[in-house]
Structure formats: C-alpha cells, structure tokens
C-alpha cells in the first residue's frame, strides 16, 4: 500500500525530523512531501537539507518552497554577485545564512533551488500542497490545468529567471498568504487583523484539498477544503505529518513533540 506523507514546517529541527521519519519508515512506494521552510530559527538548517537529500534515495521525495527558503536564495543571489557591495536582502534575526552557505556545497544548494517547488498537485489523492495558502486572487487568474498539468516545474530557478512579472506576483503569494481581503487578495502581515478572513475560509476546492504550513498553530486546523499542519515544532510544539492513502480513505496524523522551544513562541490559534 503506497502512502502520501506530508510533513509540516521543519525550521532546522533536525532531531524531531529524524524521529518522525523513523516512525513513518517511508518506503520506495511512498511519496514524502514537505511544506517548506526547511530553514531558520531552529538548531541545524544544513543538517535538515542533507538529511532530505539522503532520504530521497528511500522514497519519492518532494518539497515546496517556503518564504524563508525563498528569501535565503534571494540573499544568496546577491551575495554571489561580486559587483554587489551591500546586499539589499537582510537575513531575519533568527537566521544564520552565512553558516548555512558555508555548510552546504554547491550541489546541495542547487538541490534546494531546483527541488523545492512552489506548488505541488497530487491527483491520486486530489491534494495540492503549498507553503502558505492559495488566495482567491490566485484562483481567479491561474487555471486549474496550469496547476494539474504544469508544462514546467515551478521552482525557485523558474521564479527568478523564467516567470513573467505577473506570474512572479501570483506565485509568490503562495509563499506568504495568511489572511485575505473580502475580495480574496492577500493582506500584508503588518496590516492584518483578527477580523480578516483566513485564505482557507474563502477557498472552494478548485485545486482539491490543500495541505499547507506557514502559519504556526498549536493544533492541526481543518477547513472545509484545506488542512493546516504547521504545529510549531520550532516553538516547542509538534512536527506533524498527515498521511493520505487514496481519495476514499480518511487521512490520519502522526506527530513528534519538540525537544524544546528553540525560539520564543509565536503560535497563533486561527480556529477553523
């Protein structure tokens, strides 16, 4: 029996990741997918990347691009340009990108650039995986066929080098959307209020069920057509996996408890 296993945001929590994967025991018939934000805040970013590269020899492994991952690569792009004296992309306070850059070789960095997709659709379980969310603004402009049958893999390299300005604007929304306006357009974090709708409240299943991370929550949150599985491991919560068998079998969850709180808690309860 093949399984689709989707694991929430890791944020450098290598010990918890190894524990969870040891429990899951993915095999060659399984698909293992990660919701992005492999790095920042936790203790061992490079260890997470190296472990995923190692694990892909045991199963079919895929990963979506998170907002932290994308910002790291924008920073790295500028860093690698000798003509740039001052890098305009500033690392978050809870990151150590210089260390990560030194600890990963070029093949490992290229793996991240090319392996981490912006959106993944899995037709056998009628499920789409993104890092943050799919606002109604995106569904109005991107036909389902572009998501279900992509001509090209939409990874960081595509986003940076090939995407049109309109595509770049639309697809980057999948990396950061939490709350949206009444018209379904993403609201920037600093302008959001608790009165604004979570994107999943306005999502009607255009791309099947969506599994996502990004907005750390103390609990798994189920919406009508979406499931949020970032349960704040790096904040002392849990690392969560949702396991899907097929379209007709109810999913189930497996979690590992964080060994400690690596940073001050920012867990927010978004309800459902």
């Amino acid at each position: 029996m093949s399984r689709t296993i989707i694991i929430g945001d890791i944020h450098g929590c290598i010990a918890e990741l190894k524990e969870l994967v040891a429990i899951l025991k993915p095999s060659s018939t399984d698909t293992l997918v990660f919701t992005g934000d492999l790095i920042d805040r936790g203790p061992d970013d490079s260890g997470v990347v190296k472990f995923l590269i190692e694990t892909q020899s045991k199963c079919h492994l895929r990963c979506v691009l998170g907002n932290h991952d994308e910002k790291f690569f924008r920073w790295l792009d500028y860093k690698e340009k000798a003509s740039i004296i001052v890098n305009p992309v500033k690392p978050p306070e809870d990151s150590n990108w210089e260390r990560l850059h030194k600890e990963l070789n070029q093949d490992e960095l290229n793996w991240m650039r090319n392996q981490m997709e912006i959106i993944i659709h899995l037709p056998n379980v009628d499920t789409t995986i993104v890092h943050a969310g799919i606002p109604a603004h995106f569904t109005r402009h991107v036909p389902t066929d572009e998501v279900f049958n992509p001509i090209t893999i939409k990874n960081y390299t595509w986003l940076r080098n090939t995407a049109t300005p309109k595509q770049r604007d639309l697809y980057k929304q999948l990396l950061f959307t939490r709350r949206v306006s009444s018209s379904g357009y993403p609201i920037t974090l600093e302008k959001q209020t608790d009165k604004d709708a979570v994107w999943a409240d306005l999502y009607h299943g255009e791309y099947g069920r969506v599994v996502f991370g990004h907005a750390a929550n103390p609990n798994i949150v189920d919406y009508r057509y979406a499931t949020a599985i970032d349960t704040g491991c790096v904040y002392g919560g849990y690392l969560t996996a949702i396991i899907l068998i097929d379209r007709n079998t109810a999913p189930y969850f497996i979690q590992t408890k964080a060994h400690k709180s690596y940073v001050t808690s920012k867990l927010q309860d978004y309800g459902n």
Side-chain angles (χ1 to χ4, degrees):
M1 178 181 64
S2 62
R3 301 172 296 171
T4 297
I5 303 165
I6 308 169
I7 296 178
D9 300 23
I10 303 169
H11 281 298
C13 296
I14 185 63
E16 293 84 352
L17 172 63
K18 288 183 174 180
E19 284 183 12
L20 185 56
V21 171
I23 294 169
L24 292 164
K25 295 181 174 64
S27 70
S28 60
T29 61
D30 293 329
T31 298
L32 183 59
V33 187
F34 295 87
T35 62
D37 276 3
L38 303 183
I39 66 171
D40 289 348
R41 298 178 176 156
D44 192 354
D45 294 342
S46 64
V48 167
V49 175
K50 292 173 186 289
F51 180 72
L52 294 196
I53 293 173
E54 175 188 331
T55 302
Q56 71 178 355
S57 66
K58 303 173 183 177
C59 61
H60 183 208
L61 188 147
R62 300 179 73 176
C63 184
V64 296
L65 183 71
N67 60 304
H68 284 259
D69 314 308
E70 187 271 340
K71 189 174 182 181
F72 166 69
F73 278 114
R74 279 192 287 121
W75 170 83
L76 189 58
D77 285 345
Y78 282 108
K79 182 178 176 63
E80 291 175 343
K81 293 179 180 178
S83 60
I84 300 296
I85 299 174
V86 178
N87 195 325
V89 182
K90 304 302 179 185
E93 292 182 1
D94 49 15
S95 69
N96 196 333
W97 291 350
E98 290 285 359
R99 175 185 168 188
L100 178 61
H101 183 217
K102 290 177 181 178
E103 292 179 348
L104 295 180
N105 62 39
Q106 196 59 50
D107 287 343
E108 291 163 339
L109 290 168
N110 288 340
W111 181 90
M112 290 182 70
R113 280 190 175 103
N114 297 313
Q115 183 76 18
M116 303 182 76
E117 305 170 58
I118 301 170
I119 185 169
I120 295 172
H121 178 69
L122 302 174
N124 61 312
V125 287
D126 192 25
T127 297
T128 295
I129 303 98
V130 296
H131 174 62
I134 304 180
H137 178 71
F138 182 90
T139 61
R140 284 195 295 267
H141 290 86
V142 179
T144 55
D145 191 59
E146 185 173 326
V147 173
F148 293 169
N149 301 294
I151 297 174
T152 58
I153 294 176
K154 294 178 174 61
N155 51 26
Y156 177 81
T157 302
W158 172 85
L159 186 70
R160 188 71 171 171
N161 300 328
T162 308
T164 66
K166 180 179 180 180
Q167 287 176 319
R168 194 172 295 120
D169 174 66
L170 286 167
Y171 279 87
K172 283 190 73 172
Q173 292 174 11
L174 308 186
L175 307 183
F176 67 81
T177 295
R178 295 190 187 194
R179 296 184 181 273
V180 294
S181 67
S182 57
S183 61
Y185 196 85
I187 302 172
T188 57
L189 187 61
E190 61 273 12
K191 293 183 179 180
Q192 293 177 15
T193 71
D194 291 343
K195 295 180 180 179
D196 296 314
V198 176
W199 71 270
D201 290 327
L202 303 182
Y203 173 68
H204 302 297
E206 290 89 341
Y207 309 114
R209 174 158 291 275
V210 174
V211 176
F212 67 102
H214 186 58
N217 193 292
N219 305 297
I220 298 162
V221 183
D222 256 327
Y223 300 88
R224 186 175 182 184
Y225 297 108
T227 304
I229 62 168
D230 180 4
T231 43
C233 183
V234 75
Y235 302 118
Y238 292 85
L239 186 61
T240 295
I242 180 173
I243 296 90
L244 310 172
I245 305 301
D246 55 41
R247 292 173 177 235
N248 301 315
T249 304
Y252 62 97
F253 301 89
I254 293 177
Q255 296 179 307
T256 53
K257 183 74 174 75
H259 292 190
K260 58 180 286 188
S261 177
Y262 298 98
V263 291
T264 303
S265 178
K266 293 181 181 178
L267 294 178
Q268 302 179 58
D269 192 342
Y270 284 86
N272 60 1

